[in-house]
Amino acid sequence: MPQSPPRRLSGTPRAPPPNKRPTCRRRWAWTLCGIATLVGSPVGWVARQPTISICCGSDRRIRPATQPSTWELPTMPRRTPPDPRFGQRMRTLREQHALSFRELGRLTLASKSKLHKIETGMVAADAETATRLDDALGAGGELTAMVRPAAVQLPQDTVTPTPAVDLAAHWRDMLRVLTAADNALGGHGLLNLVSTELQLIDSQRETAARPARTDLTVVAARWREFGSWICDNEGHDQQAGRWLEAAGSMAREAGDVTLTAYVGMRRAQRAVEKGQVGAAEALVQPVLGAGGLPPRVRALAAVRLAQAHAHHGDATGTRRSIGTAFRLVDQSAAEDPQTASLVSHCTSVYVRAYEACCRLLLGEPAAAIHDFETVLADWPHHQRLDEGFFRAHFAVALHLAGDVDAARDHAAAARELGLQTGSQRTLSLVTEVAADRTATVPVGGHPATRVVAGSGEHGRV
């Protein structure tokens, strides 16, 4: 009779038969461990240890290779139980400000699901989130006090130095790349990236020593201004205003005169596109009157003032301000990289394009058509975002002049650029032309401003 195979001793791992593929159960076990390694679970911790063997098949246990099978997984630290008062107070303040979780998330750079869990007491808020909620809801430190006691003020020389200067340079370089990408392709997906990077910048800024903290404050202001521009183009008006206001406050805190002036110009641009002409004039006058600012920052302020004059129907003031903008652009010499990244779009072609927009506001569509034809023939190929915006205005000018077919053709081209770059400012203009609304067409980037076709007058509704 054939001899039976030797009996396997208890505790000895069973060797797999030769040339036999792992069983389905074995493959799934290894897959599970790989996933656990990625998410950082305790099983993943075990799988990463060099002395651990994972046995599958009939011996389905996780144990150390040289230890008894009674080895246990390390205990995980227990989470701090949430304070129920925090969520109740947070909900009261949020409802007082009439903010949804999505809107509050944009202010605090947190996801709406995280905020919902904090408010309902499912998770406890960390100190950083509590501080952001304090700022967004105007709680005056009440929410932060529920999370941690007041921080002890340490002498300046006890602050551990961090490589914040290198980080500031990294974020400045990164912002230059993103700005170029936004001009060429639009802000698709950039808003989430900006929010994520701002969380990292702010966390470094809070722990940095004084000189590095100033650099990071300027960086945080620049990123917020960039985020506000993306929000403007995507139609998030309230969020754009909040980020721009925060950028101005941080620029003043850091003593950055150029960035403070640029933010003032951007606020004037938002005001004039909403028809708030008086506010726009008040915002640009200090910029134009300040000495020592880069010429192209002042040129942009002159363009905003020209738009305000055009809203008033002041053709003389419009021409004077446009002439000032052209002179300032011609005076611009070599600029430092930080200033250049802010104002690189302000060229003579850019000023000419806004001169054409002002002619529309003054009720001169024929002159605007001539200017737009000249501008778009030489438009830089890497500034597709602004190209779509001005091409939409060109379609408006053709529409007002009665050339409906040409207006529709250029509106279709502008719509394609608006979809590619995600610019709601462009698409809002195109919609009016595509609908063949010959009586009134929005001009200037905001539906509140309209030119009456054939009347030679401008008006706001």
Side-chain angles (χ1 to χ4, degrees):
M1 296 181 62
Q3 294 182 353
S4 60
R7 185 176 181 181
R8 184 172 61 92
L9 298 178
S10 177
T12 304
R14 177 180 297 169
N19 302 325
K20 184 176 181 181
R21 297 182 59 187
T23 62
C24 180
R25 180 182 297 167
R26 183 182 299 273
R27 290 198 301 270
W28 274 110
W30 281 109
T31 302
L32 176 60
C33 292
I35 296 173
T37 302
L38 293 177
V39 302
S41 71
V43 176
W45 186 91
V46 173
R48 290 193 295 269
Q49 303 309 306
T51 60
I52 299 302
S53 65
I54 302 179
C55 300
C56 306
S58 61
D59 196 7
R60 299 187 302 273
R61 286 177 293 176
I62 300 176
R63 63 172 185 260
T66 59
Q67 298 294 330
S69 59
T70 57
W71 186 85
E72 297 180 356
L73 294 174
T75 58
M76 302 299 291
R78 299 185 63 182
R79 294 182 179 179
T80 304
D83 187 346
R85 298 175 303 163
F86 188 98
Q88 295 169 3
R89 183 57 179 158
M90 174 183 166
R91 179 176 181 178
T92 301
L93 293 170
R94 183 177 62 82
E95 291 178 347
Q96 287 177 358
H97 288 78
L99 293 173
S100 66
F101 284 114
R102 184 182 297 276
E103 293 169 337
L104 185 58
R106 289 172 180 165
L107 293 175
T108 58
L109 307 179
S111 65
K112 62 179 183 179
S113 60
K114 177 180 178 180
L115 295 175
H116 179 267
K117 290 178 181 179
I118 292 174
E119 186 175 290
T120 55
M122 296 175 65
V123 297
D126 56 87
E128 182 179 351
T129 303
T131 302
R132 295 182 188 278
L133 287 170
D134 267 329
D135 295 338
L137 300 175
E142 180 181 356
L143 296 176
T144 305
M146 294 182 186
V147 175
R148 64 181 180 185
V152 178
Q153 296 294 327
L154 298 176
Q156 185 64 33
D157 56 0
T158 63
V159 177
T160 303
T162 60
V165 175
D166 294 337
L167 289 174
H170 158 74
W171 275 308
R172 283 194 293 264
D173 293 340
M174 184 177 180
L175 184 58
R176 281 198 293 269
V177 174
L178 294 180
T179 301
D182 177 65
N183 289 336
L185 305 173
H188 293 296
L190 291 182
L191 199 55
N192 291 334
L193 175 61
V194 170
S195 298
T196 301
E197 293 300 318
L198 276 173
Q199 293 183 45
L200 299 174
I201 295 170
D202 290 341
S203 65
Q204 289 293 325
R205 188 168 63 93
E206 291 174 359
T207 59
R210 185 168 298 170
R213 179 183 174 88
T214 301
D215 287 345
L216 288 172
T217 300
V218 174
V219 169
R222 289 286 311 277
W223 276 78
R224 281 175 168 81
E225 188 281 323
F226 178 63
S228 75
W229 171 247
I230 296 175
C231 288
D232 268 332
N233 276 291
E234 294 187 356
H236 309 306
D237 181 71
Q238 293 184 353
Q239 177 66 11
R242 294 190 191 104
W243 272 7
L244 195 59
E245 189 69 28
S249 298
M250 288 184 170
R252 290 189 294 272
E253 176 188 341
D256 191 324
V257 178
T258 298
L259 183 55
T260 300
Y262 185 84
V263 170
M265 181 280 302
R266 283 270 291 109
R267 292 178 61 197
Q269 181 181 20
R270 285 171 48 83
V272 77
E273 289 184 355
K274 295 179 180 180
Q276 301 168 359
V277 182
E281 291 175 336
L283 287 166
V284 298
Q285 290 293 354
V287 179
L288 288 170
L293 289 175
R296 287 202 283 182
V297 173
R298 298 176 61 204
L300 287 169
V303 169
R304 305 289 88 87
L305 185 59
Q307 290 179 275
H309 287 318
H311 273 277
H312 283 308
D314 183 0
T316 302
T318 300
R319 286 193 293 270
R320 182 173 59 251
S321 296
I322 288 292
T324 300
F326 276 120
R327 286 193 298 273
L328 288 168
V329 168
D330 291 338
Q331 293 173 9
S332 61
E335 296 162 330
D336 64 272
Q338 301 312 310
T339 302
S341 65
L342 275 176
V343 298
S344 60
H345 62 284
C346 183
T347 62
S348 59
V349 177
Y350 176 90
V351 176
R352 182 73 65 191
Y354 266 106
E355 181 181 20
C357 292
C358 289
R359 290 186 185 278
L360 277 179
L361 289 170
L362 292 170
E364 304 172 4
I369 290 172
H370 177 268
D371 287 343
F372 278 128
E373 287 176 341
T374 303
V375 164
L376 293 174
D378 298 327
W379 192 259
H381 67 278
H382 60 275
Q383 293 186 359
R384 294 167 59 81
L385 183 67
D386 285 343
E387 180 187 354
F389 181 68
F390 291 126
R391 193 169 291 279
H393 280 81
F394 186 24
V396 171
L398 292 167
H399 201 281
L400 294 176
D403 194 346
V404 178
D405 291 337
R408 288 179 178 175
D409 291 341
H410 284 281
R415 181 177 183 275
E416 184 65 23
L417 287 169
L419 292 173
Q420 291 175 5
T421 58
S423 176
Q424 293 299 320
R425 299 169 75 225
T426 298
L427 295 176
S428 64
L429 287 169
V430 169
T431 301
E432 300 282 346
V433 178
D436 196 20
R437 299 175 185 174
T438 56
T440 58
V441 179
V443 172
H446 195 277
T449 306
R450 296 179 184 268
V451 173
V452 182
S455 68
E457 299 178 355
H458 68 284
R460 290 188 297 277
V461 296

